[in-house]
Amino acid sequence: AAILLKLGGYGLIRISPMLNPHPPNLMFPIMILALWGILMTSSICLRQTDLKALIAYSSVSHMGLVTAAIIVQTPWGLTGAMTLMIAHGLTSSALFALANTNYERTHTRTLLLVRGLQLAFPLMSTWWLLTNLTNMAMPPTTNLLGELFIITTLFNWSTPTIIITGIGTLITATYSLYMFLMTQRGSISTQFRLLTPTHTREHLTLTLHLLPLGLLIMKPAIISGLFT
């Protein structure tokens, strides 16, 4: 999710200029599938019971935005696609790392069984909160910059797309909060009373994921100035 999906996006960026200007019979079906995929995969996230499956579908939903932006073939669209791919690559990897820390201690990925971990790992709960807020493009993260570029590009291309992207953004915020509440809040199961404490290497791993996201927004030209 963090690397292979982004390699696919890079391939689209390299191949799309060869098809420019896009023939309408090629452009519209791909655009419709990308926009519809945003809604479908976001909705699937709301019904997931497996933590890693939820994170994986979240990545596919974000790649729908990236694909739609690349197909439009404008400087803003390519800038937004590149920005969101880099930002979500770090965010998605951090979410999978957090899911793995839970799995190593509880040996289950079922959301109903891993509730209330905030009581056992308050510092890890802070990482969960920051990463989920980043996943829903909370300002001032780089994810927000990429999504604003893409939504503006799609709105200029076709006004009705603001409805789909708006609903997709709303569902993204919903399942991100759902993921945090299901894993961190509530009463902890009695079978998880004796849990291994978190390690420094795990906190260092998450710091190395989220720190670049915080620093890149201070100079976004590093990643967003490639196509402007």
Side-chain angles (χ1 to χ4, degrees), residues 8-225:
Y10 172 74
L12 287 173
I13 291 175
R14 295 300 298 267
I15 294 297
S16 291
M18 300 181 185
L19 304 175
N20 197 24
H22 295 299
N25 58 352
L26 174 66
M27 181 178 182
F28 289 115
I30 298 176
M31 182 65 74
I32 291 170
L33 286 174
L35 293 174
W36 187 244
I38 296 170
L39 295 182
M40 286 299 97
T41 51
S42 297
S43 301
I44 288 172
C45 288
L46 294 175
R47 294 183 59 85
Q48 283 301 314
T49 58
D50 187 290
L51 181 57
K52 283 193 174 182
L54 196 162
I55 298 170
Y57 278 116
S58 169
S59 298
V60 177
S61 172
H62 283 85
M63 284 305 295
L65 275 174
V66 171
T67 304
I70 293 172
I71 292 298
V72 177
Q73 280 293 298
T74 61
W76 271 46
L78 293 173
T79 298
M82 195 62 142
T83 304
L84 188 59
M85 281 196 296
I86 294 173
H88 187 69
L90 292 167
T91 306
S92 178
S93 181
L95 284 171
F96 275 115
L98 284 166
N100 186 61
T101 60
N102 282 9
Y103 183 77
E104 286 180 345
R105 289 160 177 81
T106 62
H107 304 289
T108 180
R109 300 199 303 260
T110 305
L111 289 170
L112 289 174
L113 298 179
V114 294
R115 304 192 67 178
L117 292 181
Q118 180 182 1
L119 298 174
F121 310 116
L123 183 54
M124 194 60 71
S125 181
T126 304
W127 288 120
W128 270 105
L129 177 62
L130 291 175
T131 310
N132 278 286
L133 290 176
T134 305
N135 190 54
M136 71 171 71
M138 177 198 70
T141 58
T142 319
N143 303 60
L144 176 66
L145 181 66
E147 289 194 13
L148 285 178
F149 271 117
I150 293 174
I151 292 173
T152 304
T153 299
L154 295 178
F155 181 75
N156 289 332
W157 176 74
S158 176
T159 306
T161 57
I162 194 68
I163 299 173
I164 298 177
T165 53
I167 295 174
T169 303
L170 179 62
I171 299 176
T172 300
T174 304
Y175 71 68
S176 295
L177 290 174
Y178 165 74
M179 187 188 338
F180 175 75
L181 293 175
M182 287 297 289
T183 56
Q184 304 303 310
R185 305 295 293 177
S187 57
I188 192 169
S189 175
T190 54
Q191 62 180 332
F192 299 141
R193 291 302 181 187
L194 298 175
L195 295 172
T196 307
T198 55
H199 304 295
T200 304
R201 60 175 173 82
E202 294 169 336
H203 296 294
L204 178 61
T205 300
L206 294 166
T207 302
L208 294 176
H209 278 93
L210 296 182
L211 187 61
L213 286 173
L215 295 178
L216 283 172
I217 197 62
M218 302 179 71
K219 190 172 177 57
I222 297 175
I223 53 177
S224 65

